[in-house]
Amino acid sequence: MPLVAANWKMNPTNLDDALDLARGILSVARGHASSIEVAIMPPFPWLVGVSEVLDGSGVKLGAQDCFWEMKGAYTGEVSPAMIQGLCQWVIVGHSERRVYLGETDEMVAKKTAAALSCELGVIMCVGELADHYDAGTSDQVVTAQVKADLANCSADDSARLVIAYEPVWAIGTGKSADPEHAYKTMRLIRKVVAEMIGAGAARKVRILYGGSVNSKNVQQYVELPLCDGVLVGSASLDAEEFQHIIKVTAEVYGHR
Ligand code: PEP
């Protein structure tokens, strides 16, 4: 089943707006819940409120990050055990955390293992920087990231593992990737995943595209043969935009 995930990042800035946005998304998402999986990732303080809006709808809830330990003296961190039961998904390794907070592949691998051990689904983000893209080294960079980030994973994790290919130069910039580049990189990711956890298991791992997806360009990504959905940032903050993304995705996968 395709996955359409909304990464709200550090938005909206108050609970009422978050609940309104969740209700707006839900009004369309609930009608497609049997054919596409929709997941909303609000900031931590809005998780409980949004979970009440989504309750019983089939629309999933996720966190934008988690720590790799379950409890203890880690000021400011939130453990997977704390969000287990509230969330079904968690994002790890988002490029904004890698760039602004120095998150490394080793940390991403530990977070992934910890989240999976708590029965959470993991959306692991990988993608090259603009410099890598310009230098033609995207393949090497993404291969190294996927190998390092999957270091603690096994075939048993495949059903709850999603890899989002997000070229960093395409995130929040309005410069979405050429679908051909996205396709080739997603094909490469699947090959690397197969090397890491076996070909059979790799087929179950879903691979998303992310990076300036909106209602106008979403079709060209979800139509790609290897694409299992999209991770959407800015456009998920506009209920109508995101509703349209859900409808287009449902339509494309309905014809597969
Ligand atoms: C993201 O935050 O994962 C993302 C893809 O952002 P945007 O859609 O704004 O590029």
Side-chain angles (χ1 to χ4, degrees):
M1 195 186 276
L3 173 64
V4 176
N7 174 18
W8 287 357
K9 312 191 190 207
M10 205 166 68
N11 304 289
T13 53
N14 67 72
L15 179 60
D16 286 345
D17 289 351
L19 300 182
D20 278 351
L21 181 55
R23 285 187 202 105
I25 291 173
L26 184 60
S27 66
V28 163
R30 71 156 31 108
H32 295 284
S34 59
S35 57
I36 67 171
E37 187 172 358
V38 175
I40 301 179
M41 281 80 178
F44 283 117
W46 313 149
L47 280 175
V48 171
V50 172
S51 79
E52 285 159 10
V53 171
L54 302 184
D55 191 32
S57 68
V59 175
K60 310 283 175 60
L61 185 68
Q64 297 174 16
D65 183 46
C66 68
F67 196 57
W68 57 79
E69 297 290 348
M70 298 302 159
K71 62 175 194 158
Y74 304 102
T75 303
E77 293 300 326
V78 175
S79 80
M82 291 168 178
I83 55 172
Q84 182 185 29
L86 183 62
C87 295
Q88 295 77 45
W89 286 102
V90 62
I91 296 174
V92 297
H94 192 280
S95 65
E96 285 149 14
R97 298 195 62 82
R98 294 180 191 256
V99 170
Y100 299 127
L101 297 160
E103 211 162 279
T104 63
D105 286 320
E106 198 190 342
M107 294 178 194
V108 176
K110 288 202 282 186
K111 289 179 177 203
T112 302
L116 289 168
S117 78
C118 286
E119 308 290 319
L120 289 159
V122 170
I123 301 181
M124 176 192 281
C125 302
V126 298
E128 78 280 6
L129 299 171
D131 287 353
H132 304 132
Y133 182 69
D134 294 341
T137 58
S138 305
D139 284 4
Q140 290 94 308
V141 170
V142 172
T143 299
Q145 271 180 340
V146 174
K147 281 190 176 166
D149 295 352
L150 286 180
N152 305 323
C153 292
S154 71
D156 294 343
D157 302 319
S158 56
R160 281 183 293 118
L161 194 57
V162 169
I163 300 185
Y165 169 54
E166 301 205 302
V168 180
W169 47 269
I171 297 183
T173 58
K175 282 193 258 166
S176 55
D178 169 39
E180 177 76 12
H181 173 74
Y183 171 72
K184 284 190 178 148
T185 314
M186 291 160 94
R187 191 177 57 187
L188 171 74
I189 290 172
R190 191 157 316 268
K191 186 173 143 272
V192 179
V193 175
E195 282 164 25
M196 295 294 292
I197 63 168
R203 276 195 284 277
K204 290 190 212 142
V205 174
R206 284 180 283 177
I207 302 182
L208 313 184
Y209 169 76
S212 294
V213 171
N214 58 39
S215 62
K216 292 186 183 63
N217 64 22
V218 60
Q219 184 157 354
Q220 61 185 354
Y221 299 111
V222 292
E223 272 178 355
L224 295 172
L226 285 176
C227 181
D228 298 303
V230 282
L231 176 55
V232 185
S234 325
S236 71
L237 295 172
D238 178 328
E240 270 183 41
E241 260 297 283
F242 198 66
Q243 287 169 358
H244 197 79
I245 289 169
I246 293 169
K247 284 182 197 159
V248 172
T249 306
E251 212 173 286
V252 169
Y253 286 92
H255 288 121
R256 276 199 176 169

